[in-house]
Amino acid sequence: MNKINSNSTIKKIINYRLLYALILPGLLYVLIFRYIPLLGTVVAFKKVPTFATIEQIIAADWVGLYQFKKFVNSHYFWNILGNTFKLAGLRMIFEFGAPVILALLMNEIRNSYFKKFVQTVSYMPYFISTVVLAGLVFNVLSLQGGIIPELIRRFGGEAAYYLGDTRSFRGVLLAAIVWKNIGWGTIIYLAALSGIDPQLYEASRIDGAGRWTQTIHISLPSISFAVVIMFLLRISVVLNQGFEETLLLYSPAVYEVSDIIDTYVYRVGLLQNQASFASAVGLFKSLLALALVLLSNTVAKKFSNHSLYG
């Protein structure tokens, strides 16, 4: 029986070989840029200098979990871990939640021209590079001619340099990230909303349901699958995101609230030439991300019956 099934699978692959060939670039990308670099994690268990050759890495002595213990016992550990989870949590609440709300609001717009205008305006920031985004934020918040400080002065307030203030830095960073990604994030939800049967809305209107009731009882439940899947996919990368924005906007004055694992890895790995230690910290973060994905997938499957793995 197994031989028959095997032959049947091979025949299907041969018959649809052109379709299977389409997945080859994706497989090669994952293999080259995701799996092969995993070999580099061996550096975390050895003591090697930055930019070491392969021969130097192979010849280096094993140090076991020394680098991990060094990170966990360092006085930076809890602050960096706290900042990483705080930023990740805020991004999950605002950056993930904002596109869902925007998509539901856009679904209620009946004027097609206005809807396209809103879509275009909200998508545009996504195509701005992170460097340009950081430049815009610096200019808008500059004490010398920045729009926000000038407006505050016009209304009698006292402007401050918000990127250098520990009380406002996270808010500024989060606002910049949400503004850049909110439009692009609505695409999946708008596609899911477009698949809802219009007769459901018509029947609810006959029963006297208003827009709000329709949104709560029809629109939101209909895209719950997409929301859960996007949430799980976001969880898997949430600890990897925010590096570029944070690195470009933060300064030593706000390290207390802005220094996350990725920026710490950048400093100790490239600026302080501690390749082994930086690799260990990076691997530690990856293990945290894996734990978050498995936990979130289990919780999502239990409460919504949707998960990444069926």
Side-chain angles (χ1 to χ4, degrees):
M1 182 64 74
N2 290 334
K3 188 174 180 180
I4 294 174
N5 290 335
S6 177
N7 291 334
S8 176
T9 302
I10 293 172
K11 282 183 179 178
K12 285 181 179 177
I13 293 175
I14 293 173
N15 291 336
Y16 300 103
R17 55 188 178 278
L18 291 179
L19 293 177
Y20 280 101
L22 292 175
I23 67 174
L24 280 179
L27 288 177
L28 287 174
Y29 173 84
V30 172
L31 178 66
I32 294 171
F33 294 104
R34 298 297 180 184
Y35 281 92
I36 292 179
L38 287 177
L39 298 173
T41 56
V42 71
V43 174
F45 303 95
K46 291 191 168 190
K47 192 172 184 178
V48 296
T50 304
F51 306 118
T53 62
I54 294 177
E55 289 78 11
Q56 288 175 313
I57 294 173
I58 294 173
D61 295 330
W62 292 94
V63 294
L65 299 177
Y66 168 76
Q67 305 291 2
F68 294 91
K69 293 176 182 176
K70 181 181 173 183
F71 174 56
V72 173
N73 293 325
S74 71
H75 65 277
Y76 295 108
F77 176 74
W78 289 110
N79 185 53
I80 291 171
L81 195 65
N83 288 337
T84 302
F85 276 103
K86 284 175 185 174
L87 179 61
L90 289 171
R91 292 189 68 160
M92 287 305 298
I93 294 171
F94 293 100
E95 190 189 2
F96 178 77
V100 178
I101 296 171
L102 180 62
L104 290 172
L105 291 174
M106 290 171 69
N107 189 52
E108 297 301 320
I109 297 175
R110 295 294 175 257
N111 187 311
S112 61
Y113 294 105
F114 182 65
K115 188 173 183 177
K116 288 179 180 177
F117 172 75
V118 174
Q119 283 180 293
T120 303
V121 170
S122 60
Y123 292 168
M124 286 295 286
Y126 183 80
F127 298 99
I128 296 175
S129 76
T130 308
V131 176
V132 175
L133 172 73
L136 287 172
V137 173
F138 277 115
N139 286 328
V140 167
L141 298 178
S142 172
L143 288 174
Q144 283 78 41
I147 296 174
I148 301 299
E150 284 297 322
L151 284 175
I152 292 174
R153 290 192 190 104
R154 290 286 178 90
F155 287 98
E158 185 176 349
Y161 185 56
Y162 300 105
L163 284 173
D165 191 335
T166 55
R167 294 169 299 179
S168 57
F169 179 82
R170 281 201 189 112
V172 173
L173 176 65
L174 195 62
I177 293 172
V178 171
W179 175 71
K180 186 174 187 293
N181 298 321
I182 185 172
W184 191 256
T186 62
I187 292 176
I188 298 294
Y189 305 120
L190 285 174
L193 286 166
S194 67
I196 300 174
D197 189 348
Q199 291 183 354
L200 292 175
Y201 292 110
E202 186 65 31
S204 67
R205 276 195 291 272
I206 293 173
D207 290 339
R211 291 283 183 84
W212 175 252
T213 305
Q214 290 175 349
T215 300
I216 297 298
H217 295 286
I218 298 177
S219 300
L220 202 52
S222 297
I223 64 170
S224 62
F225 175 79
V227 172
V228 170
I229 295 301
M230 293 302 292
F231 177 80
L232 294 174
L233 291 174
R234 177 59 63 87
I235 280 285
S236 66
V237 296
V238 70
L239 294 182
N240 291 330
Q241 295 183 331
F243 166 65
E244 292 180 350
E245 294 89 344
T246 305
L247 183 68
L248 291 169
L249 292 175
Y250 83 157
S251 63
V254 292
Y255 275 179
E256 180 186 346
V257 298
S258 63
D259 201 15
I260 58 177
I261 291 177
D262 281 335
T263 54
Y264 183 65
V265 168
Y266 169 78
R267 284 207 312 280
V268 298
L270 293 179
L271 303 184
Q272 300 175 15
N273 294 325
Q274 300 182 52
S276 296
F277 182 63
S279 298
V281 177
L283 184 57
F284 178 84
K285 186 202 70 174
S286 299
L287 294 175
L288 279 180
L290 176 62
L292 278 177
V293 172
L294 295 177
L295 178 64
S296 303
N297 194 58
T298 303
V299 172
K301 190 172 184 177
K302 182 175 182 180
F303 290 101
S304 70
N305 205 30
H306 300 311
S307 72
L308 285 175
Y309 313 112

